[in-house]
């Protein structure tokens, strides 16, 4: 047990025993009187408590804890690595860089280093010193090979127990036979290459994970929290929901939360790709890992650590990395076929030539179809990690592969192709209504809404001093608008269809509204009871690079570009014409968008849906690949998406397409490298032109070749 930190009577302890809830209950009941507060953080295996200094001291508490848990081991630093990441899982952001296997990376590296020294010794001794290395079953080489192969033997015994003949069994058999026939040097070579290959593969996988992890790495480990008006420096993992955290100019915000007081210019490029810093003040939401450029804010914490918005998005990506993509699955199937082929070729060579040495060389060449497996997995990991560098988070190799195999791309309009920030353009008022009144009602309804139109209304209302929040309960109707009510009063803000659905006729306003709609502006009516107070028109700013993105996609072979929008027909048509879509659907409800995706799937191979809002989620879930634009988009859309484009640049869609295409190309090249060397090796070995030792060298050659080819993806510049 260790005392991780102490600030006055606030203490954080760390130990294995805190993982068990029963232990924590025991602690709580024992110190019931002495503790003011008590909190458990299982992930960090720690407890944080504030004790009553009048009743006890830290020494006394530690003494009591030792009596309560007499067998509890002293704290051993290997429970977590230096970065504080635990070993318990392979995929979550909080611990992924820790090695999950029992043996640490360093230990593996040292073992491999020793094996390398030994192999150099053999080479030098035989080639330059004229020493003959004894390779009999009881020689030093044989013993070293067996020790180095112990993990492999263990795995093959496990699979034999389940009556399975696996790659490991085949390789173990090869090794033992080699040693038995006095070819211990070849055996050593196989195991040496195998371990080197495994180390390399692990390195590439870890590298992709680290790349992803870099996005959420917080270099700050401390935070300042406000306790009784005093700023107290505490460990970041001690901060809890409801605390007030202080962030100042030049600092990264360590938590998710809402600004309680103060104001600041915040660089949120990581979350939404906006290059301009956003000015935020009291009430606004802020996110962990964004950067305070200027100002000072007091943040009421809503989420910390792995619960923050960016951590959740990233941990999804990491989790899905564990799932295999179609070409990885294909590689696995191919590898198991090669295994059978290897066995047959080995037996065939022996029966035809009668030479065990030749059969043996064939066996060595075929004993490692790992190159086939690596062919796909290294390329896909490298592709995903390359995309991550540009802020494109791909939740699984499957989606990376499908993007460039898609023939139809569907785009939502508002928030996706247009920026999430429409601008209030015109206000058309009903009789006896002024602009301020109109916006007072509109803001009452939209206050808690995050739809781009709602944000524009709130912003404008603020500017003209008409912002009100009187606790109306509001219901958002995706694709239509918002209905707010308090007692019997009802306010509607939304489009014509929304009003019609609620039996309010827009007859008196329609002609005037149409004028704006055909200019491409969106119209939102505001009603109170059954009276229309007026309407507001919004101009949408289209994201820079939209036309180029559509052109580029078409050039690359995308057959069908579709616009799907909940907006009015006139707006949609003028938009689609300007940007050259093949097809446009307007006035769509969320289910309508989904139905169109289903129809398109019948006609085109793989359909991609790119959206940003709640109203896009059903369609996204039906598409073969769902892409979300994270900029100001809804969390639901980001959650459901297979790919999240965090910077929201239209260019990134093309970039994603290119990375997808390149990755598939590299997978194919890798297959060629692997298969051709294998076949060539077998041919040479069967006619006696390849010794067991050179057969081993072939493995090294193509494994390195495949790794090098995949790593090209990481450096590739778009
Ligand atoms: P898109 O499909 O292009 O992203 P949406 O489905 O989000 O558009 O919205 C469709 C239409 O519904 C908008 O153009 C607007 O008229 C209306 N609407 C949706 N939400 C709101 C809201 N919160 N306030 C006012 N109007 C809204
Ligand atoms: Mg939208």
């Amino acid at each position: 047990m260790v005392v991780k930190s102490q600030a006055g009577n606030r203490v954080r302890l760390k130990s294995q025993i805190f993982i068990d809830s029963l232990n924590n209950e025991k602690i709580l009941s024992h110190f019931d009187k002495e503790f003011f507060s008590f909190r458990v953080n299982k992930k960090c295996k720690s407890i944080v408590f504030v004790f009553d200094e009048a009743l006890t001291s830290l020494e006394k508490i530690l003494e009591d804890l030792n009596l309560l848990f007499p067998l509890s081991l002293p704290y051993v630093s290997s429970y977590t690595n230096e970065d504080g990441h635990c070993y318990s899982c392979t995929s979550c952001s909080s611990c992924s860089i820790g090695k999950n296997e029992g043996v640490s990376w360093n230990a593996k590296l040292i073992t491999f280093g020793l094996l390398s020294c030994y192999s150099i010794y053999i080479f030098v001794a035989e080639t330059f010193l004229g020493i003959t290395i004894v390779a009999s079953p009881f020689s030093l080489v044989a013993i070293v090979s067996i020790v180095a192969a112990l993990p492999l033997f263990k795995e093959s015994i496990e699979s034999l127990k389940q009556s399975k003949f696996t790659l490991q069994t085949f390789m173990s058999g090869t090794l033992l036979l080699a040693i038995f026939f006095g070819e211990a040097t070849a055996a050593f070579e196989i195991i040496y290459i195998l371990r080197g290959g495994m180390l390399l593969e692990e390195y590439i996988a870890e590298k992709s994970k680290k790349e992803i992890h870099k996005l959420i790495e917080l270099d700050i480990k401390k935070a300042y929290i406000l306790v009784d008006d005093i700023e107290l420096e505490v460990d970041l993992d001690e901060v809890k929901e409801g605390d007030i955290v202080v962030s100042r100019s030049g600092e990264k915000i360590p938590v998710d939360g809402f600004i309680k007081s103060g104001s600041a210019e915040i660089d949120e490029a990581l979350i939404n790709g906006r290059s301009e810093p956003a000015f935020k003040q009291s009430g606004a939401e802020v996110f962990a890992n964004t950067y305070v450029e200027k100002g000072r804010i007091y943040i009421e914490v809503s989420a910390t650590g792995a619960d923050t918005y960016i951590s959740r998005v990233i941990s999804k990506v990491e989790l899905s990395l564990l799932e295999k993509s179609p070409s990885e699955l294909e590689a696995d199937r191919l590898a198991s076929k090669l295994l059978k082929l290897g066995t047959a070729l080995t037996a065939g060579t022996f029966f035809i030539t009668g030479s065990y040495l030749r059969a043996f060389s064939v066996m060595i060449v075929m004993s490692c179809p790992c190159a086939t497996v690596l062919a796909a997995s290294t390329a896909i990991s490298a592709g995903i990690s390359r995309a991550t560098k540009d802020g494109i988070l791909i939740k699984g190799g499957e989606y990376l592969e499908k993007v460039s195999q898609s023939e139809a791309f569907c785009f939502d309009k508002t928030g996706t192709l247009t920026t999430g920030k429409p601008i209030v353009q015109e206000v058309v008022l009903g009789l006896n209504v002024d602009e301020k009144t109109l916006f007072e009602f509109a803001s009452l309804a939209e206050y808690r809404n995050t739809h781009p139109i709602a944000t524009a209304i709130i912003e404008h209302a603020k500017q003209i001093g008409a912002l009100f929040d009187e606790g109306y309960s509001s219901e958002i109707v995706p694709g239509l608008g918002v209905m707010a009510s308090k007692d019997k009063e009802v306010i509607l803000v939304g489009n014509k269809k929304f009003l019609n659905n609620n039996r309010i006729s827009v007859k008196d306003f329609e002609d005037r509204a149409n004028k704006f709609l055909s200019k491409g502006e969106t119209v939102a009516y505001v009603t109170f009871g059954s009276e229309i107070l007026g309407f507001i028109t919004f101009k949408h700013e289209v994201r820079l690079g939209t036309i180029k993105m559509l052109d580029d996609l078409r050039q690359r072979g995308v057959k069908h570009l579709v616009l799907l929008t909940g907006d009015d027909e006139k707006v949609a048509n003028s938009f689609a014409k300007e940007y050259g879509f093949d097809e446009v659907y307007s006035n769509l409800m969320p289910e309508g968008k989904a139905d169109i995706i289903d129809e398109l799937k019948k006609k085109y191979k793989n359909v991609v849906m790119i959206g940003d809002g709640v109203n896009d989620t059903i369609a996204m879930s039906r598409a073969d690949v769902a892409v979300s634009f994270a900029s100001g988009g809804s969390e639901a859309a980001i959650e459901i998406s297979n790919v999240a484009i965090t910077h929201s640049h239209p260019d990134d869609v093309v970039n994603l397409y290119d990375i997808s295409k390149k990755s598939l190309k590299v997978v194919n090249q890798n297959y060629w490298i692997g298969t051709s060397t294998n076949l060539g090796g077998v041919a040479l070995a069967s006619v006696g032109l390849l010794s067991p030792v050179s057969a081993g060298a072939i493995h090294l050659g193509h494994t390195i070749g495949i790794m090098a080819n995949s790593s090209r993806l990481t450096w590739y510049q778009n």
Side-chain angles (χ1 to χ4, degrees):
M1 196 178 306
V2 272
V3 181
K4 287 298 280 187
S5 65
Q6 183 191 5
N9 59 344
R10 186 179 163 120
V11 182
R12 191 171 139 232
L13 295 182
K14 185 162 185 169
S15 165
Q16 281 292 94
I17 57 171
F18 304 136
I19 296 175
D20 189 340
S21 313
L22 282 178
N23 289 344
N24 295 326
E25 273 167 31
K26 209 160 144 188
I27 296 170
L28 196 57
S29 68
H30 183 89
F31 294 105
D32 188 29
K33 291 204 183 68
E34 287 103 320
F35 283 2
F36 287 134
S37 76
F38 178 75
R39 190 165 60 85
V40 184
N41 187 340
K42 279 199 185 160
K43 209 176 73 228
C44 301
K45 307 179 179 78
S46 61
I47 54 172
V48 183
F49 56 84
V50 180
F51 65 89
D52 186 345
E53 282 164 305
L55 293 178
T56 185
S57 64
L58 180 58
E59 287 70 35
K60 177 81 179 59
I61 294 171
L62 291 175
E63 224 169 79
D64 282 11
L65 281 173
N66 273 328
L67 288 174
L68 275 178
F69 306 101
L71 290 177
S72 75
L73 295 165
Y75 174 71
V76 182
S77 64
S78 66
Y79 290 142
T80 55
N81 63 19
E82 306 80 1
D83 304 334
H85 295 275
C86 58
Y87 290 107
S88 56
C89 91
T90 50
S91 54
C92 74
S93 324
S94 43
C95 44
S96 63
I97 22 186
K99 301 287 170 297
N100 57 314
E101 297 104 84
V103 186
S104 74
W105 174 255
N106 281 349
K108 283 182 194 164
L109 219 55
I110 290 171
T111 318
F112 189 69
L114 288 175
L115 290 177
S116 303
C117 291
Y118 188 60
S119 76
I120 292 171
Y121 162 73
I122 295 180
F123 178 72
V124 173
E126 283 204 319
T127 326
F128 300 112
L129 307 178
I131 302 173
T132 313
I133 300 288
V134 184
S136 68
F138 297 104
S139 60
L140 182 64
V141 192
I143 294 166
V144 173
S145 309
I146 287 180
V147 172
L150 282 179
L152 180 71
F153 292 152
K154 217 170 110 191
E155 271 183 65
S156 35
I157 290 172
E158 285 304 315
S159 46
L160 279 181
K161 271 191 200 155
Q162 296 164 22
S163 335
K164 276 198 252 164
F165 184 71
T166 58
L167 185 61
Q168 283 74 17
T169 339
F170 188 75
M171 285 192 290
S172 302
T174 316
L175 280 173
L176 290 174
L177 277 175
I179 292 169
F180 181 75
F181 284 118
E183 289 283 352
T185 320
F188 176 72
E189 210 174 352
I190 301 175
I191 191 69
Y192 176 65
I193 289 156
L194 189 77
R195 293 194 70 135
M198 271 161 35
L199 217 58
L200 255 171
E201 188 187 15
E202 206 173 295
Y203 173 75
I204 288 199
E206 283 303 318
K207 205 163 153 259
S208 320
K209 267 196 203 164
K210 273 194 186 153
E211 199 65 56
I212 291 167
H213 204 269
K214 245 197 239 155
L215 272 182
I216 50 164
E217 218 163 19
L218 267 181
D219 25 29
I220 25 167
K221 299 275 181 267
K222 302 267 184 197
Y224 287 92
I225 61 169
L226 209 59
V227 179
D228 299 332
D229 285 337
I230 297 169
E231 289 182 18
L232 208 64
E233 187 181 352
V234 293
D235 278 353
L236 193 53
D237 41 13
E238 275 179 47
V239 178
K240 58 181 190 307
E241 210 183 307
D243 279 351
I244 305 290
V245 164
V246 192
S247 284
R248 282 166 282 244
S249 305
E251 288 178 3
K252 262 190 184 175
I253 297 175
V255 294
D256 279 3
F258 292 89
I259 301 180
K260 192 97 175 145
S261 63
S263 63
E265 303 221 336
I266 302 174
D267 175 354
E268 297 193 318
L270 175 75
I271 302 278
N272 58 27
R274 287 193 195 122
S275 49
E276 289 294 302
F279 176 75
K280 292 202 164 180
Q281 54 191 357
S282 182
E285 189 170 15
V286 291
F287 300 96
N289 279 42
T290 55
Y291 183 79
V292 180
E293 289 208 337
K294 218 163 68 197
R296 172 198 284 251
I297 42 174
Y298 294 85
I299 307 158
E300 184 169 348
V301 179
S302 63
T304 60
D307 297 327
T308 58
Y309 167 72
I310 188 78
S311 296
R312 279 184 287 131
V313 174
I314 301 245
S315 68
K316 283 228 155 148
V317 177
E318 288 174 332
L319 260 182
S320 46
L321 275 182
L322 298 178
E323 279 167 28
K324 294 199 167 175
S325 73
S327 62
E328 283 174 280
L329 290 173
E330 185 54 42
D332 284 352
R333 277 193 289 274
L334 200 64
S336 83
K337 275 187 201 151
L338 281 177
L339 188 61
K340 287 183 194 135
L341 185 69
T343 318
L345 284 176
T346 308
T349 311
F350 183 70
F351 284 121
I352 294 169
T353 64
S355 155
Y356 84 83
L357 207 64
R358 287 186 194 184
F360 197 50
S361 298
V362 170
M363 191 172 184
I364 294 175
V365 172
M366 295 301 291
S367 76
C368 193
C370 25
T372 319
V373 179
L374 292 182
S377 66
T378 54
I380 299 296
S381 301
I384 292 182
S385 118
R386 172 67 188 79
T388 310
K389 270 194 198 157
D390 287 344
I392 305 173
L393 306 177
I394 305 173
K395 306 180 189 173
E398 177 183 353
Y399 310 109
L400 173 67
E401 291 182 17
K402 274 189 187 163
V403 171
S404 61
Q405 296 168 335
S406 297
E407 291 180 338
F409 275 61
C410 305
F411 293 86
D412 161 60
K413 184 178 74 72
T414 321
T416 303
L417 292 180
T418 64
T419 61
K421 279 188 135 181
I423 300 152
V424 170
Q425 197 68 14
E426 291 286 338
V427 182
V428 175
L429 302 164
L431 284 178
N432 305 323
V433 182
D434 60 17
E435 182 176 347
K436 219 166 155 187
T437 317
L438 184 82
F439 274 90
E440 276 170 21
F441 279 98
S443 69
L444 282 174
E446 302 274 25
Y447 201 80
R448 288 185 175 70
N449 201 343
T450 52
H451 192 278
I453 291 193
T455 318
I457 289 178
I458 297 297
E459 204 146 280
H460 191 83
K462 219 184 266 173
Q463 273 170 19
I464 61 169
L467 184 66
F468 282 94
D469 174 25
E470 285 175 8
Y472 270 71
S473 65
S474 68
E475 186 194 343
I476 296 156
V477 191
L480 294 176
V482 57
M483 173 188 283
S485 58
K486 192 167 141 188
D487 304 326
K488 288 220 166 70
E489 295 172 353
V490 176
I491 305 170
L492 302 181
V493 186
N495 54 21
K496 174 180 154 190
K497 198 165 161 193
F498 189 41
L499 266 62
N500 289 345
N501 289 354
N502 287 284
R503 294 197 204 91
I504 300 174
S505 159
V506 297
K507 212 169 67 241
D508 298 343
F509 288 87
E510 196 156 20
D511 286 344
R512 279 176 287 172
N514 281 344
K515 219 173 67 203
F516 294 102
L517 290 171
S518 41
K519 274 200 290 187
E521 288 175 25
T522 296
V523 168
Y525 294 93
V526 183
T527 71
F528 181 61
S530 57
E531 187 196 345
I532 298 181
L533 303 176
F535 65 77
I536 308 164
T537 78
F538 302 85
K539 203 176 148 142
H540 298 275
E541 211 184 326
V542 178
R543 289 187 200 277
L544 219 64
T546 299
I547 292 194
K548 184 169 181 308
M549 164 190 68
L550 297 172
D551 281 351
D552 285 351
L553 285 177
R554 219 188 281 279
Q555 246 177 36
R556 281 161 174 74
V558 174
K559 290 194 180 141
H560 206 60
L561 296 169
V562 186
L563 180 68
L564 302 178
T565 175
D567 214 341
D568 188 88
E569 191 182 332
K570 292 191 186 66
V571 181
N573 284 341
S574 95
F575 191 91
K577 211 163 114 204
E578 193 174 341
Y579 291 93
F581 281 92
D582 296 311
E583 227 179 338
V584 46
Y585 296 90
S586 53
N587 280 319
L588 286 174
M589 298 295 287
E591 298 78 21
K593 289 191 179 187
D595 292 343
I596 291 162
I597 297 280
D598 284 340
E599 282 306 309
L600 289 171
K601 273 168 82 175
K602 288 182 199 153
K603 283 193 248 166
Y604 297 97
K605 184 181 166 201
N606 290 346
V607 175
V608 179
M609 169 74 203
I610 304 169
D612 76 309
V614 179
N615 61 326
D616 302 316
T617 47
I618 311 182
M620 284 166 80
S621 68
R622 302 261 182 93
D624 294 294
V625 184
V627 180
S628 69
F629 261 22
S631 167
S634 85
E635 263 191 47
I638 297 166
E639 290 268 314
I640 207 156
S641 63
N642 310 124
V643 180
I645 293 184
T646 53
H647 294 178
S648 306
H649 295 154
D651 292 354
D652 282 343
V653 178
V654 182
N655 197 1
L656 169 68
Y657 189 96
D658 288 346
I659 294 175
S660 163
K661 194 143 205 152
K662 273 243 150 53
S663 305
L664 286 175
K665 204 165 140 194
V666 169
V667 170
N668 273 330
Q669 291 166 346
N670 285 351
Y671 277 145
W672 271 103
I673 300 176
T675 318
S676 58
T677 43
N678 260 354
L679 291 180
V682 168
L684 291 177
S686 60
V687 293
L689 286 177
L690 201 68
S691 68
V693 173
S694 345
I698 282 195
H699 276 324
L700 190 62
H702 71 183
T703 308
I704 290 179
I706 283 171
M707 301 281 183
N709 197 33
S710 294
S711 69
R712 283 191 313 133
L713 279 173
T714 324
W715 323 122
Y716 145 76
Q717 293 293 326
N718 51 307

